[in-house]
Amino acid sequence: MSLLQDLLAANERYAATFQKGGLALPPAKKLAIVTCMDARIDPARILGLEEGDAHVIRNAGGRTAEALRSLIISQQLLGTTAILVIHHTDCGMLTFENAELRQRLQEQLGADASAIDFLPFKDLEQSVRDDVALLRSSPFLLKETEITGFIYDVHSGRLSPVP
Ligand code: ZN
């Protein structure tokens, strides 16, 4: 079977016993999470969340600059009031620089990516602090928003707060 067939078969099994069709649109815990797209991270299981509990906004690195659009919608239209920023150990964003990726795109695809900041970082803790600070200083988020930053350890499964 192809991957796509496997995925669709899994969805058939999921839908066969699905019982959460009545959930409300706004997240029950009024929570939004920004985290990395890394395949080893399962935000719901890490935090004991169920369908309907929280918004999870994912991108490469869990960078809040890229998540801001979604966070504004999350707060203004869907009532969330707390944000968790979760970056993680062994993140791919620690492994490259803008110039390298831009050069690769130029060589492979003949595409000029000089206007794109891929938001890589060198210091994991600092990246969390920077991303929390960016949200705290945003004029588009509610002043009373509770914003906390964490590092997730992909080897231990543990979350640690970043002071
Ligand atoms: Zn990552």
Side-chain angles (χ1 to χ4, degrees):
M1 264 213 288
S2 73
L3 172 60
L4 182 56
Q5 285 173 319
D6 286 346
L7 295 170
L8 292 175
N11 177 250
E12 277 300 322
R13 292 191 295 277
Y14 180 75
T17 58
F18 186 69
Q19 294 187 327
K20 296 191 173 175
L23 293 172
L25 175 56
K29 296 192 186 296
K30 300 186 185 299
L31 171 67
I33 298 162
V34 180
T35 193
C36 186
M37 66 186 187
D38 192 291
R40 296 166 292 183
I41 301 174
D42 184 336
R45 286 208 276 175
I46 288 171
L47 296 164
L49 298 170
E50 302 286 338
E51 292 93 332
D53 279 347
H55 284 149
V56 181
I57 302 151
R58 304 188 70 163
N59 59 47
R63 301 314 308 265
T64 56
E66 192 177 334
L68 191 56
R69 179 187 68 88
S70 298
L71 288 169
I72 295 167
I73 292 166
S74 177
Q75 291 200 335
Q76 292 297 321
L77 277 62
L78 295 162
T80 62
T81 55
I83 301 171
L84 298 190
V85 176
I86 304 174
H87 294 183
H88 67 96
T89 60
D90 198 35
C91 186
M93 301 297 278
L94 292 157
T95 67
F96 73 98
E97 292 183 17
N98 271 324
E100 297 170 47
L101 189 46
R102 287 173 184 149
Q103 186 182 346
R104 185 186 297 207
L105 287 162
Q106 188 66 56
E107 289 170 4
Q108 282 189 4
L109 303 170
D112 177 9
S114 57
I116 302 177
D117 184 351
F118 294 97
L119 304 173
F121 46 80
K122 291 265 171 257
D123 182 321
L124 183 55
E125 284 199 16
Q126 191 58 44
S127 75
V128 175
R129 286 190 209 102
D130 290 347
D131 279 18
V132 167
L134 185 140
L135 297 182
R136 289 204 173 118
S137 68
S138 173
F140 300 113
L141 297 178
L142 302 170
K143 293 291 167 254
E144 64 272 26
T145 308
E146 188 183 328
I147 305 169
T148 41
F150 295 88
I151 289 172
Y152 173 73
D153 186 324
V154 296
H155 299 299
S156 70
R158 199 171 300 279
L159 275 181
S160 303
V162 175

